[in-house]
Amino acid sequence: MADELRPPEGDMDYIESVKNNVQEVRDHRFDKYSWSKPPKKIPEDEIVETITTEVGIVGGGIAGLAAGARLTQLGIRCIVVEKYKGIVARGAHIACLESKCMEENGVHIDKQQFARDWMRICGSRVNEDLLWLYINKSGAALQWLLDIGGEDVVCALHGGHYKGPDFTEYPGTHFLFQKEGSTRYKHKGGAHLMCEMEQNVILEGGNQIIRNTRVQYLEKDEAGRVKGFIAKGEDGKYRRYVGTRGVILATGDIGSNPEMLDAFCPMGLKPKRNGYSPAGLNTGDGHQMAYWAGAAFEDPSWALSLHLLAYSIYCFFFLHVNRQGKRFMNEDTWVQAKAIRCLQQPQGDFAYSVFDKNWFEQVGERAEICGGQFTDPLICFYGDKWSPDNGIDKTIERYVKKGTCFKADTLEELAEQMEVPVENLKATVARYNEMAAQGKDTDYGKRAELLTPIVESPFYALKWGPALLNVHGGVLIDPQMHVLDLNSKPIPGLFAIGNTAGGLYGVDYPLLLNGNSHCRAITWALEAADTISKEN
């Protein structure tokens, strides 16, 4: 039987030619994009200076600065080169699977179940070695960050995780704050504080951060090892940076590069708003440099992170209607699902949450079985109970004044303000109220506890919609952060971390653990630094 399955003699050459053809197609599938062509080499007479260090780091966000800080601690000389003028940071959360803060709150995450949930949400398109690297080392990465902050920084566990029966979020999200009364840091909390903490370690340890300087391309030596890069400084002059022990790419994602989105994440072109900050900075520079150096990319379509930040920061679990005034989903789900379902609607850049005068009490009564981002207050701590003084009601009234939430005495008036067909909205609300009275959602299967009737005026329509935050995909790496070529072999001297590196995400950014990308960035940075220390 085994002999019957062998290719006929002579067919092995054919099979090998097919393999080679597939490789050739793979090598040239991006030729139509301008980014696939490397820039012309800068003439030697235009390079005004050669700066030699042990490790050159391209990108000064949370990952690049973490790598620089760790290398500094290890006594390794490094230079961080960043194209932006200041700290590159956004958001407030950082998440891991085990920490002292979680232990103090009695929180334990089953790692095996977490891994299964992550793989399920990511469609199994994940390098499990990288996933378990994050699972096993993210706690140590957070502790490393706390250690460099010392007595000036405190950690708290976030309590605003989604508590539904599906896509349940794990309570492993943390906030970092500068202690009240401390003046060590300029920033008081969040990702900006994390970056400032890392930056101080670099500078106080005698290493350099050079900003307003854009790296053009990588350079290799005769043996094919990445030896450094050429960068254009704030003064418009070109300099050669040599990293005798390697180069780390930490330039973020591709979310502001339409051509790269078209190639790797077409859905990222759909949102009309981008929530990335600083705006327009994430253009996939490191991805391109790695590609020109022979790196392999993970297969598209890459995972993307969509937050409901485009018009308001709340959407709740109430009736969701599209711009035709029709219901389109089970509202009892996580924000990523809401964003995608919204984008799939006609004119899908926004939708509405429709509710009546009792909405605030209804949210409070259900906080323990629902919650999550864009339902709970942005800052809420683990163990805290819902409070009528949390300010969410005042926020909604501000939206009414701003024009991103409509308020009316009748559904007809509400529909006119929303610019949706009146009859559609009335029919949708009537059907929703009918199912609420019956205690069963036979249209979309929402939990009965979340079917709140819309019967008492004033009526509200809260406008919400997705903004693209990040695209999580990139160059293939191994667990030591080496960049891999098309034959799955490490490119000597080249490492990738943060959102430049691929392999951990697939399909969707898994909000199982809000803030996992920040802790992943630090985990990968520490791993890259430790690899360089051991290998050289």
Side-chain angles (χ1 to χ4, degrees):
M1 184 66 179
D3 289 337
E4 294 176 12
L5 295 177
R6 294 180 188 275
E9 192 162 338
D11 279 9
M12 292 306 296
D13 290 339
Y14 170 74
I15 291 172
E16 192 62 33
S17 70
V18 169
K19 286 182 178 179
N20 291 336
N21 184 57
V22 169
Q23 185 70 44
E24 184 176 346
V25 169
R26 184 185 182 195
D27 289 350
H28 296 287
R29 60 181 168 173
F30 305 124
D31 283 354
K32 67 177 181 178
Y33 299 109
S34 63
W35 58 261
S36 71
K37 283 57 171 193
K40 292 181 179 180
K41 301 296 183 184
I42 305 301
E44 285 297 320
D45 60 2
E46 293 185 28
I47 299 173
V48 300
E49 185 181 6
T50 295
I51 301 168
T52 301
T53 187
E54 292 183 89
V55 181
I57 302 170
V58 187
I62 192 170
L65 292 175
R70 178 59 178 163
L71 288 166
T72 302
Q73 290 178 327
L74 293 169
I76 297 173
R77 290 181 295 113
C78 64
I79 297 176
V80 178
V81 179
E82 166 57 47
K83 68 180 180 181
Y84 188 62
K85 62 184 178 181
I87 284 179
V88 180
R90 69 213 58 84
H93 297 154
I94 182 168
C96 63
L97 278 83
E98 51 191 356
S99 69
K100 291 180 180 178
C101 191
M102 294 167 68
E103 183 179 350
E104 290 167 357
N105 282 276
V107 174
H108 171 74
I109 293 177
D110 183 324
K111 293 182 178 180
Q112 292 180 325
Q113 184 60 50
F114 180 88
R116 289 193 290 269
D117 289 342
W118 187 287
M119 293 295 292
R120 172 175 55 86
I121 287 179
C122 289
S124 296
R125 292 171 50 189
V126 170
N127 180 331
E128 290 192 66
D129 289 326
L130 293 176
L131 173 58
W132 278 94
L133 179 66
Y134 172 75
I135 288 172
N136 288 325
K137 291 195 174 183
S138 58
L142 175 60
Q143 187 58 50
W144 173 85
L145 189 64
L146 290 170
D147 288 344
I148 67 174
E151 294 298 320
D152 295 279
V153 174
V154 294
C155 183
L157 192 62
H158 180 51
H161 53 287
Y162 175 71
K163 308 172 186 68
D166 298 305
F167 301 109
T168 301
E169 294 171 2
Y170 287 86
T173 300
H174 300 71
F175 295 114
L176 264 65
F177 302 99
Q178 184 171 195
K179 278 186 180 178
E180 189 173 349
S182 172
T183 58
R184 181 179 177 186
Y185 299 107
K186 173 183 174 183
H187 298 94
K188 299 303 181 184
H192 280 85
L193 173 61
M194 300 175 208
C195 286
E196 188 181 357
M197 291 160 58
E198 296 166 349
Q199 171 182 271
N200 284 10
V201 173
I202 296 169
L203 299 178
E204 291 168 4
N207 279 321
Q208 291 180 270
I209 302 171
I210 301 175
R211 294 193 166 95
N212 270 332
T213 297
R214 185 164 192 157
V215 176
Q216 307 296 300
Y217 54 82
L218 302 174
E219 291 193 309
K220 292 183 177 181
D221 62 20
E222 293 180 356
R225 179 182 179 84
V226 173
K227 64 178 182 178
F229 47 82
I230 302 296
K232 186 177 184 179
E234 187 175 6
D235 59 4
K237 296 179 180 180
Y238 295 102
R239 291 172 176 82
R240 171 174 284 121
Y241 292 83
V242 175
T244 59
R245 298 175 72 168
V247 171
I248 299 174
L249 296 174
T251 57
D253 74 303
I254 65 169
S256 293
N257 188 322
E259 275 198 340
M260 297 195 82
L261 287 175
D262 182 69
F264 299 111
C265 186
M267 184 170 278
L269 293 167
K270 285 191 171 185
K272 292 188 176 180
R273 301 201 179 191
N274 194 308
Y276 188 91
S277 175
L281 201 68
N282 52 338
T283 49
D285 297 9
H287 296 74
Q288 297 171 45
M289 285 181 251
Y291 180 75
W292 303 330
F297 287 148
E298 63 181 323
D299 293 328
S301 180
W302 294 353
L304 74 174
S305 175
L306 296 166
H307 277 12
L308 306 181
L309 298 169
Y311 303 96
S312 60
I313 60 170
Y314 293 106
C315 62
F316 308 114
F317 50 80
F318 299 117
L319 167 67
H320 292 351
V321 302
N322 60 22
R323 294 177 66 177
Q324 296 177 340
K326 297 180 179 180
R327 189 182 183 203
F328 60 95
M329 69 175 297
N330 179 349
E331 301 88 354
D332 180 19
T333 189
W334 60 330
V335 296
Q336 183 85 0
K338 294 188 178 191
I340 291 171
R341 292 297 297 121
C342 179
L343 287 174
Q344 291 175 329
Q345 299 306 301
Q347 300 174 289
D349 57 312
F350 63 84
Y352 295 98
S353 290
V354 180
F355 44 87
D356 73 5
K357 67 173 291 186
N358 301 302
W359 72 271
F360 189 61
E361 291 78 13
Q362 291 167 344
V363 172
E365 291 165 358
R366 291 157 180 79
E368 291 301 314
I369 63 169
C370 189
Q373 283 195 70
F374 311 103
T375 294
D376 287 317
L378 289 179
I379 303 292
C380 58
F381 300 109
Y382 189 83
D384 287 354
K385 299 297 183 181
W386 173 272
S387 168
D389 299 321
N390 57 27
I392 294 178
D393 53 342
K394 295 180 177 62
T395 299
I396 297 303
E397 289 304 320
R398 284 198 298 271
Y399 285 144
V400 172
K401 294 178 181 178
K402 182 181 175 182
T404 51
C405 182
F406 302 117
K407 183 178 180 181
D409 291 328
T410 67
L411 290 177
E412 289 84 357
E413 293 174 4
L414 190 67
E416 290 175 2
Q417 292 183 49
M418 297 164 64
E419 297 183 342
V420 304
V422 173
E423 293 307 315
N424 284 358
L425 182 64
K426 289 177 64 178
T428 298
V429 171
R431 172 63 178 162
Y432 191 78
N433 286 341
E434 176 186 343
M435 293 186 294
Q438 294 172 350
K440 188 171 185 179
D441 181 1
T442 54
D443 290 347
Y444 291 98
K446 181 156 75 173
R447 281 183 288 169
E449 301 95 313
L450 302 182
L451 288 170
T452 54
I454 305 166
V455 292
E456 292 190 65
S457 65
F459 302 106
Y460 295 80
L462 176 62
K463 186 177 181 179
W464 57 266
L468 178 63
L469 204 59
N470 293 107
V471 176
H472 299 275
V475 300
L476 293 182
I477 59 169
D478 65 17
Q480 290 74 45
M481 307 299 120
H482 299 107
V483 173
L484 304 178
D485 64 16
L486 294 175
N487 296 311
S488 300
K489 302 295 184 183
I491 297 175
L494 188 59
F495 303 83
I497 59 177
N499 285 335
T500 309
L504 186 61
Y505 302 97
V507 185
D508 282 331
Y509 175 71
L511 281 172
L512 287 168
L513 201 54
N514 294 290
N516 65 75
S517 65
H518 278 156
C519 204
R520 183 280 296 254
I522 296 173
T523 305
W524 273 210
L526 301 184
E527 202 68 23
D530 289 350
T531 297
I532 291 170
S533 177
K534 293 171 185 175
E535 290 184 348
N536 295 275

